[in-house]
Amino acid sequence: MARKSWHLNRRTFLMGTGGVSLALPWMECMADAAPATASATDSPRRLCAMYWGFGIGLPKEDSEHANWRWFPKGEGRDFEFTDSLRPLECFRDDLTVLGGLSHPNGRKMGGHDTGDTFLTGAFLNNQYLENTISVDQVAAASVSDQTRFSSLVLSTDGGVGEPTRSSTLSYNDKGRPMPAMHQPQQIFDRFFGAGDADSIAQRRRLKSASKMLDRVLEDSRSLNRRLGKQDQEKFAEYLASVRQIEQRVERSQRWLEIPRPELRDEERDMLSLESDDKAPRLFMRTMYDLMYLAFRTDSTRVATYQITNMADASSNAGKFPQLEGFKSNLHGLAHGWNKPEGAVKLGQWDQFMAEQFSYFLRRLASAQEGNGSVLDHSLILYGSSNSTTHHNHNYPLILAGGSNLGLQHGRYLKLGSDVPMANLFVTLLNCFGKETEAFADSTGELSELTHA
């Protein structure tokens, strides 16, 4: 068949100056070559989530070790912290302990499998491993053009891990895991230094991409005149997507031109960038310090930190208790929750974790901002997807901060099992400024959090 003047070879490129080219999408004119296919809320709002695996100590309420139960005594405003959460007493008016919440899908999953879905509420099993977007990334997308980094994703083990044993809490809009960083020096270099190797390479790519888009779009005008109506529409859609990429490149390029925030000497001195997972207390506090600095400098407004995952004792964080003087790894320690000596040991580990969380809250509360502190403008979720080992009900959860964003604190709220945890996420997104009616399997907001 004779080729018409408006036929294009499927390998046609838009050509620009300097030899720059951009491949075209398939269009009908290629049919013979391819098939058809100043107030309190003026300050930045922030969202942060921390997670640990394998659950908590929950000895019986009438046992001699009841004071090592993770959940407080009492209810509402008349609650009393047990020894497990005693380090948080000084933040009593800045936090709410939540009991009874869980993900309905999580109740149908294996006891080791729910860390992946802590922030998504999705259902996973051995045959179905497709996750959904995590709540932090919904928030991040709504403010991605306002900070240098859309989010900070951290974990003790780094990377993404394996399905149902993920080493990241964050999932993109396709449900794919977002790799977590776990080396303090790398995190510091990327956020506050000249940049690590990956960000330096990205800088070069962004500059190259920007030049390419500027050059090839000139050739698009002459090509468009040669196309039929349907192909013009398809070509317009393609160029629209190119323009979206160009806008993202321009936003990224703009941040490349802005100097990274300079830290005060005392802030640099507080960091122990050489810390590693062989010193859990130092490592965890360094990660908390990095999140604090990222928020204080407005380098990002969204962060996640998976302190421990749901893998077995081979994970880095699984050995944390042993490195802090406990006789067992985290998995073994968690299995002793219902034994007299085990309940005390697990409660002491819960207390150790609460001490590090209290340290983070203290850092945020110490940074004044507007008519409050960074803590007052931050939504901080701390918890696990197990209550006792392998039991995916009654998640132990603490929500802190956000007093200038509408949250009412100073309570222990016991909620019914008919309330999905996704209701909490709807509330967090609305407080964050991302108007949301539904997330995952939510049935509404958790209005108890915003009404005294």
Side-chain angles (χ1 to χ4, degrees):
M1 182 176 67
R3 181 175 289 272
K4 302 295 185 182
S5 60
W6 41 264
H7 277 164
L8 290 178
N9 188 287
R10 64 179 302 186
R11 300 184 186 278
T12 299
F13 290 83
L14 289 179
M15 301 303 298
T17 59
V20 176
S21 62
L22 179 67
L24 291 173
W26 184 86
M27 294 183 288
E28 291 189 11
C29 58
M30 302 174 180
D32 62 338
T37 56
S39 62
T41 55
D42 286 338
S43 298
R45 303 176 187 223
R46 307 173 184 89
L47 175 66
C48 181
M50 279 78 70
Y51 172 89
W52 73 92
F54 299 118
I56 52 171
L58 279 180
K60 295 183 183 299
E61 292 186 75
D62 58 356
S63 74
E64 61 179 313
H65 304 304
N67 213 42
W68 289 109
R69 286 178 60 85
W70 191 91
F71 287 107
K73 301 175 183 177
E75 191 174 352
R77 295 194 179 277
D78 298 322
F79 77 91
E80 179 185 345
F81 284 117
T82 64
D83 289 341
S84 298
L85 296 184
R86 192 75 65 195
L88 296 170
E89 181 66 53
C90 59
F91 290 104
R92 179 188 184 95
D93 295 333
D94 296 298
L95 60 79
T96 297
V97 181
L98 296 167
L101 291 179
S102 62
H103 289 306
N105 281 325
R107 301 171 203 159
K108 300 178 285 186
M109 294 163 57
H112 276 231
D113 300 347
T114 52
D116 298 42
T117 63
F118 183 65
L119 296 183
T120 71
F123 175 75
L124 305 179
N125 61 21
N126 291 333
Q127 288 75 41
Y128 187 83
L129 296 173
E130 185 175 348
N131 214 327
T132 55
I133 189 170
S134 53
V135 65
D136 62 295
Q137 291 307 303
V138 174
S142 70
V143 294
S144 62
D145 62 339
Q146 299 178 39
T147 57
R148 185 186 299 273
F149 300 94
S150 61
S151 67
L152 173 60
V153 181
L154 305 177
S155 76
T156 301
D157 289 272
V160 299
E162 300 177 1
T164 73
R165 302 294 187 276
S166 174
S167 56
T168 178
L169 295 178
S170 300
Y171 290 79
N172 66 17
D173 59 352
K174 305 297 183 184
R176 299 189 181 110
M178 301 180 64
M181 295 186 290
H182 70 297
Q183 297 176 356
Q185 186 68 61
Q186 178 197 30
I187 300 163
F188 179 84
D189 288 345
R190 179 172 295 186
F191 272 70
F192 309 109
D196 62 356
D198 289 343
S199 60
I200 291 172
Q202 181 189 38
R203 184 180 308 173
R204 296 194 187 102
R205 290 194 298 270
L206 289 171
K207 289 181 178 179
S208 175
S210 180
K211 293 178 182 178
M212 177 194 71
L213 292 169
D214 287 342
R215 293 172 183 175
V216 300
L217 289 178
E218 288 295 323
D219 194 36
S220 67
R221 298 187 182 92
S222 60
L223 174 62
N224 189 61
R225 290 192 292 269
R226 299 167 54 194
L227 301 177
K229 182 177 180 181
Q230 288 185 332
D231 278 346
Q232 284 182 343
E233 294 175 353
K234 183 173 292 186
F235 189 47
E237 292 175 0
Y238 175 66
L239 290 182
S241 68
V242 172
R243 291 188 184 100
Q244 290 177 352
I245 295 172
E246 182 179 36
Q247 290 169 357
R248 289 197 293 268
V249 169
E250 289 175 348
R251 285 198 298 267
S252 300
Q253 186 67 34
R254 185 175 72 246
W255 287 109
L256 291 175
E257 305 302 327
I258 299 174
R260 280 173 165 75
E262 291 192 11
L263 304 180
R264 297 190 295 268
D265 290 341
E266 59 268 25
E267 291 172 332
R268 289 181 179 274
D269 292 343
M270 79 180 184
L271 292 171
S272 299
L273 298 177
E274 72 282 358
S275 65
D276 57 30
D277 53 31
K278 294 185 176 65
R281 184 188 303 266
L282 182 61
F283 179 84
M284 290 171 63
R285 291 196 174 195
T286 300
M287 298 296 259
Y288 279 139
D289 283 337
L290 289 166
M291 286 192 291
Y292 155 75
L293 288 176
F295 280 174
R296 191 194 68 77
T297 59
D298 204 26
S299 296
T300 190
R301 297 177 186 173
V302 177
T304 57
Y305 176 26
Q306 188 185 68
I307 304 169
T308 66
N309 59 23
M310 295 292 279
D312 59 20
S314 64
S315 70
N316 290 334
K319 294 170 277 198
F320 271 10
Q322 290 170 302
L323 294 169
E324 284 295 324
F326 292 81
K327 293 182 179 179
S328 178
N329 61 46
L330 182 57
H331 192 189
L333 194 66
H335 268 286
W337 69 272
N338 59 350
K339 301 172 184 176
E341 182 180 359
V344 174
K345 293 298 182 184
L346 184 54
Q348 291 173 340
W349 175 252
D350 294 337
Q351 185 183 74
F352 171 84
M353 292 282 287
E355 286 175 355
Q356 314 323 312
F357 182 51
S358 178
Y359 171 84
F360 180 51
L361 297 182
R362 189 161 57 253
R363 299 294 289 142
L364 297 178
S366 69
Q368 293 302 301
E369 181 179 72
N371 64 345
S373 67
V374 172
L375 179 62
D376 295 328
H377 299 105
S378 301
L379 307 162
I380 311 295
L381 177 64
Y382 172 84
S384 178
S385 58
N386 285 170
S387 51
T388 55
T389 314
H390 301 187
H391 189 69
N392 302 337
H393 295 253
N394 192 23
Y395 294 174
L397 301 170
I398 294 175
L399 181 62
S403 63
N404 282 0
L405 304 182
L407 294 184
Q408 301 292 323
H409 286 310
R411 294 172 292 171
Y412 169 30
L413 295 179
K414 290 184 179 180
L415 300 159
S417 59
D418 59 328
V419 181
M421 185 175 170
N423 285 14
L424 169 61
F425 295 163
V426 172
T427 302
L428 292 181
L429 288 171
N430 285 326
C431 288
F432 184 79
K434 168 62 176 172
E435 292 188 12
T436 305
E437 293 185 359
F439 180 91
D441 53 9
S442 66
T443 59
E445 284 194 282
L446 202 58
S447 59
E448 294 90 337
L449 289 172
T450 54
H451 295 80

